[in-house]
Structure formats: structure tokens, C-alpha cells
């Protein structure tokens, strides 16, 4: 099976490169701005890095520009160094990412505020090189490194192979029927697995157009959809939440995706009512790739696995087998990877119960933080909530903490919480906030939540 996929990928990339040579491009700018083509950008990046950092085996890509990221990927596949993507573009994280791959070189389309110890390469459009492109990287060898979202603690770096990424992207194109006629608008960062797959690689393999930028505010998203007549929207739960109260999206959208966390049913249905199209809630992770999907518009509560993915449940733990899984992960005798998620069988396939690391001991009792959060979400006055564990000030015990978006004061919230929670589930610490902090990948940010609580 793997050999067939590999051959298919080789043919697919050859066809895509031929299309690029014939003038196809990645971006679509309704304002008419036009820069160098993708093949030209690829050549500029590859040859400039080779000239300025000839001994580097990897470089850190510091960019939000999808065209630059796609060109960097093609440059790596055609003889350039391996790539690492920092999860946020801050000095500390960029330095940590460089250290993780033992590189001192950063590439970007614009200058970053970084120490002189790092070599910054900004490939210039005025430099011209041969645009010939041939794939030289092994399809089953790591060439690109991504961080997990870091929603439960310190982000972890994972390797991806060309086979991982392109096999999944081609599958997504066929499964969701994305065509060259589609115009894609994305509100998510292209430096994480979801944004990379859906807003960089998917437009590339589908020959579709991708709108520049990443609008995040409701009015901005609606204006961009309307002006571009976008047909596909790539968002995260926080974007659908904002759109549910911030206005209706034009009905030119024919397909929408969400990933990176739990999507409220009400927010999903509000978008579907406005556009007449389902929001495909995609479940997966950086290390596994996409696993399954569901849509509230189809009244689905459980997730249906993507056809290339096999799965099983053992002792409430979900295991998956897939061509999209990062190399080097521990597998069982049947090549299944044990995920960090708990699940039970459902009509569609499986229903997620929450993360394994969301089950903590409080006063010697087992508490499921995800279950506590879902109970409290049923309170109408709770606009949004994040339940997490903190260490007790004394001893080694855990305590439950909550940060809440609500119009009620803390005293009123506690009274409502006590009505539906057992004493052991009751948050020891409760903080009202204007908005729940999220990571660039759109997930609840535990480290930022801890900072707010301590502050």
C-alpha cells in the first residue's frame, strides 16, 4: 500500500510542477497585487539559502505568508535544507526552535527582531535563478518539523515526511471535492498542522486559489468572504463563536472547516444557518494528522474516521493506524498508535470523552476536567469557560481552576456551579475574564490561563 501511495505522490507532484511551469500560482489577491510566481520564489529561496548558509542542514521558517511557506517546502523538497516552524513568532520561541534542530539560520520574507547570533536570510525578488524544479527528498524521510498546539503544557516538536503531508492533502482534496474553481479563505495560522494542510498544501494540490491574509474579526471575515466570493472557509472554534454573534457570512461559502478544539454545537449551527453549508469539524493532531470528522448540521454527535484511517478503542483509549502518522512514534504489534484521547463507540464511529491528561486526582478522588467543563457550559450565563488543573499551594495535591466569560459576578457563578457540580469537582479558583486565552492554533492556552490566575 505504501509503495502505491509513494508512486501516486511522485506522479501528483510532477503534474503540479508542470502546472506551475505553465503559469499556475498559489495565491489569489482580489486587489490585483501580483508578485513572483511560486516556482520563481522556490528557486530564489533554495539558491539564496544554498549560497548564504551552505553548511546548514535545516533552517527555521519565520513567516505567516502562505506563498512563502509553500515555496520553502518546495525548496526543501528540491534539495534545500529541512524546515522547522516555530509555533509563535517571538524571539524566545524562534531561538528555541533553532536550538531544537541545531540551526542558526532563519528565513523569512521580511526582517525579524532577532539577536545577531542568528543568520537571517531574506530572499530577494530581484535575484533570479533557474526555475527548474525536481523533487530529490525521500518521500518517507522527515523533512519538516512542526510543534503541537501546546494547549496542555509545553509544545512538542514532531517530524513530518512528504508522504505524511502530501498523501493527506491529496486525500482531503478528493474526499471534500476541492477543485481549481474554489477560492479559499483561512483565519488560521499556516505554521500549525491544520493551517498548513488546509490553507497551504490543499490550495496547492487542488490548484485552488487562497486569499491573502488571515482575517480573525467577524466584520473582517464577512467582508473578505463577500469581496472575494470565497467558496471554502478555514476557521477555528473561536472564529465560529465570534461569527455566531458578529453577523452572517454570505452564502457563497459551500464548505467550511473547524479544528483545534471543541466547537460548540450552537456556533456550528449558526454558521450553517447563514450559509446553508455544514461545518466539517476535523479531529486530529500534529503527530497523527487528520483522523475523523463530523458535522452538527448532519446531527452527528460522534466522529466518522477518514477512510485511510483505521481505529480501535481499548480501555477507553483511542488508537489509530494511518499513513499520516509522524515517523518514529511508538506503535503496537498491529501498527496502531495510542493517542492521548479517551473515546467510546457511537453511531457514527466514536465519541470523544476528553483528554487522558484531563483526568486528575483531587483529594484522592478522580475528576474529569473535560466533563466538568461540559457541565458548566450548559449554564446560559456562561459565554465561555476553561477548566484546568493547578498544583495546590501546599502538598502535592491538585486543585480545579476555572476562567470564565460571563456577565455574572464570581459570587453568582459559584452559586450556579454548586448546583450542578459535586464538591470535589467545584473549582477552587475562579477568575472572570473578557476572553479565554488561546494559542495561535486556536486551542485553549493553559500557560496563559495560569498566568492570568497567578496575576
Amino acid at each position: 500500500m505504501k509503495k502505491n501511495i509513494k508512486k501516486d505522490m511522485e506522479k501528483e507532484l510532477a503534474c503540479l510542477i508542470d502546472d506551475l511551469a505553465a503559469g499556475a500560482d498559489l495565491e489569489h489577491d482580489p486587489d490585483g497585487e501580483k508578485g513572483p510566481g511560486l516556482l520563481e520564489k522556490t528557486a530564489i529561496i533554495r539558491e539564496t539559502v544554498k549560497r548564504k548558509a551552505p553548511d546548514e542542514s535545516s533552517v527555521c521558517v519565520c513567516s505567516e505568508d502562505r506563498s512563502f511557506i509553500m515555496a520553502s517546502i518546495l525548496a526543501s523538497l528540491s534539495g534545500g535544507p529541512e524546515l522547522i516552524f516555530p509555533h509563535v513568532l517571538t524571539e524566545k520561541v524562534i531561538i528555541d526552535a533553532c536550538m531544537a534542530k541545531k540551526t542558526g539560520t532563519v528565513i523569512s520574507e521580511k526582517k525579524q527582531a532577532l539577536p545577531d547570533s542568528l543568520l537571517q536570510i531574506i530572499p530577494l525578488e530581484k535575484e533570479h535563478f533557474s526555475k527548474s524544479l525536481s523533487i530529490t527528498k525521500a518521500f518517507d524521510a522527515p523533512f519538516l518539523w512542526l510543534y503541537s498546539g501546546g494547549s496542555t503544557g509545553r509544545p512538542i516538536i514532531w517530524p513530518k515526511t512528504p508522504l505524511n503531508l502530501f498523501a493527506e492533502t491529496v486525500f482531503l482534496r478528493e474526499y471534500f471535492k476541492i477543485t481549481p474553481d474554489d477560492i479559499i479563505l483561512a483565519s488560521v495560522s499556516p505554521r500549525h498542522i491544520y493551517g498548513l494542510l488546509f490553507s497551504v498544501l490543499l490550495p496547492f494540490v487542488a490548484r485552488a486559489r487562497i486569499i491573502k491574509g488571515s482575517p480573525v474579526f467577524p466584520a473582517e471575515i464577512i467582508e473578505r468572504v463577500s469581496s472575494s466570493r470565497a467558496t471554502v472557509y478555514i476557521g477555528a472554534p473561536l472564529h465560529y463563536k465570534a461569527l455566531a454573534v458578529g453577523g452572517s457570512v454570505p452564502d457563497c461559502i459551500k464548505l467550511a472547516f473547524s479544528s483545534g478544539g471543541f466547537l460548540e454545537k450552537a456556533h456550528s449551527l449558526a454558521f450553517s444557518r447563514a450559509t446553508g453549508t455544514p461545518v466539517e469539524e476535523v479531529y486530529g493532531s500534529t503527530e497523527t494528522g487528520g483522523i475523523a470528522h463530523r458535522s452538527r448540521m448532519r446531527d452527528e454527535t460522534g466522529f466518522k474516521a477518514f477512510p485511510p484511517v483505521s481505529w480501535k478503542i481499548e480501555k477507553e483509549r483511542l488508537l489509530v493506524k494511518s499513513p499520516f502518522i509522524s515517523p518514529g512514534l511508538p506503535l503496537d504489534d498491529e501498527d496502531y498508535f495510542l493517542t492521548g484521547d479517551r473515546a467510546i463507540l457511537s453511531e457514527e464511529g466514536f465519541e470523544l470523552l476528553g483528554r487522558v491528561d484531563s483526568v486528575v486526582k483531587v483529594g484522592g478522588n478522580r475528576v474529569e476536567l473535560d466533563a466538568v467543563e461540559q457541565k458548566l457550559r450548559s449554564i446560559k450565563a456562561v459565554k465561555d469557560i476553561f477548566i484546568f488543573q493547578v498544583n495546590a499551594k501546599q502538598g502535592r495535591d491538585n486543585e480545579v481552576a476555572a476562567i470564565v466569560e460571563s456577565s455574572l459576578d464570581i459570587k453568582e457563578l459559584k452559586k450556579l456551579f454548586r448546583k450542578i457540580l459535586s464538591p470535589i469537582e467545584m473549582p477552587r479558583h475562579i477568575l472572570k475574564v473578557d476572553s479565554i486565552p488561546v494559542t495561535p492554533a486556536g486551542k485553549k492556552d493553559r500557560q496563559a490561563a495560569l498566568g492570568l490566575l497567578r496575576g
Side-chain angles (χ1 to χ4, degrees), residues 278-416:
V279 178
E280 299 294 343
E281 194 176 347
V282 178
Y283 159 65
S285 67
T286 307
E287 63 270 31
T288 63
I291 294 173
H293 70 113
R294 71 176 176 186
S295 171
R296 296 301 196 172
M297 186 178 176
R298 295 191 293 267
D299 203 27
E300 295 169 344
T301 56
F303 284 86
K304 180 171 68 173
F306 291 128
V309 179
S310 302
W311 61 275
K312 60 183 179 180
I313 297 172
E314 293 180 354
K315 297 179 181 178
E316 282 197 352
R317 291 287 294 275
L318 181 68
L319 295 94
V320 296
K321 178 166 63 175
S322 165
F324 313 146
I325 290 178
S326 291
L329 294 183
L331 308 176
D332 68 10
D333 294 340
E334 297 178 324
D335 291 335
Y336 281 86
F337 170 68
L338 180 66
T339 72
D341 295 305
R342 297 159 50 240
I344 56 173
L345 294 173
S346 74
E347 185 178 338
E348 296 85 7
F350 59 85
E351 187 172 345
L352 295 172
L353 299 178
R355 296 280 303 173
V356 172
D357 51 24
S358 81
V359 179
V360 298
K361 284 290 185 74
V362 178
N365 297 283
R366 187 175 185 268
V367 174
E368 297 184 17
L369 300 180
D370 287 335
V372 172
E373 188 169 305
Q374 288 311 305
K375 287 180 184 179
L376 298 181
R377 283 183 181 278
S378 67
I379 300 173
K380 287 185 178 180
V382 173
K383 296 177 183 177
D384 201 0
I385 189 166
F386 181 32
I387 300 293
F388 54 102
Q389 165 265 330
V390 296
N391 296 325
K393 289 184 178 179
Q394 296 180 344
R396 298 182 179 179
D397 203 2
N398 298 307
E399 293 175 343
V400 178
I403 55 174
V404 192
E405 286 183 42
S406 178
S407 58
L408 302 181
D409 61 30
I410 298 293
K411 188 176 180 180
E412 292 170 313
L413 287 169
K414 284 183 177 179
K415 190 181 293 184
L416 291 173

Side-chain angles (χ1 to χ4, degrees), residues 61-248:
V61 182
C62 297
S63 178
E64 288 280 353
D65 183 277
R66 294 182 176 88
S67 182
F68 185 88
I69 288 173
M70 188 66 235
S72 299
I73 290 172
L74 291 174
S76 176
L77 291 175
S78 61
E82 294 179 9
L83 309 175
I84 182 169
F85 289 81
H87 54 283
V88 291
L89 296 181
T90 63
E91 180 180 325
K92 183 183 183 306
V93 171
I94 292 170
I95 292 171
D96 287 347
C98 289
M99 290 177 64
K101 285 298 291 171
K102 296 181 174 59
T103 181
T105 302
V106 170
I107 63 171
S108 178
E109 81 283 5
K110 59 186 178 183
K111 187 170 178 60
Q112 306 286 332
L114 293 172
D116 294 338
S117 57
L118 294 177
L119 170 64
Q120 289 195 60
I121 296 178
I122 305 170
L124 300 175
E125 294 178 7
K126 64 182 181 182
E127 299 184 69
H128 296 283
F129 303 97
S130 169
K131 292 190 278 187
S132 62
L133 180 62
S134 59
I135 305 302
T136 60
K137 281 278 196 301
F139 269 67
D140 51 5
F143 85 109
L144 185 148
W145 302 76
L146 294 169
Y147 283 89
S148 60
S151 55
T152 57
R154 186 175 177 82
I156 300 171
I157 189 172
W158 302 101
K160 306 304 285 188
T161 68
L163 205 58
N164 288 154
L165 296 177
F166 284 95
E168 180 167 3
T169 311
V170 170
F171 161 74
L172 291 171
R173 179 193 66 189
E174 300 301 311
Y175 191 74
F176 290 111
K177 298 179 174 56
I178 308 297
T179 75
D181 294 329
D182 281 311
I183 300 172
I184 300 172
L185 178 67
S187 295
V188 296
S189 169
R191 288 177 290 100
H192 299 269
I193 187 66
Y194 172 50
L196 182 66
L197 286 168
F198 282 78
S199 73
V200 177
L201 295 172
L202 185 57
F204 175 67
V205 301
R207 286 81 160 173
R209 290 172 289 172
I210 176 76
I211 304 299
K212 273 190 172 183
S214 300
V216 294
F217 299 110
E220 189 183 11
I221 293 169
I222 292 166
E223 190 281 324
R224 293 293 274 171
V225 170
S226 181
S227 63
S228 66
R229 302 307 293 169
T231 59
V232 180
Y233 177 62
I234 315 296
L238 75 161
H239 303 124
Y240 290 99
K241 174 188 173 184
L243 286 167
V245 295
S248 295

Side-chain angles (χ1 to χ4, degrees), residues 11-44:
K11 290 179 183 176
E12 185 75 41
L13 279 173
C15 290
L16 286 164
I17 290 165
D18 287 345
D19 284 354
L20 284 176
D25 210 344
L26 177 70
E27 289 185 336
H28 165 63
D29 190 342
D31 299 325
E33 182 183 334
K34 191 71 176 172
L38 195 55
L39 272 184
E40 187 177 354
K41 284 184 183 178
T42 299
I44 292 169

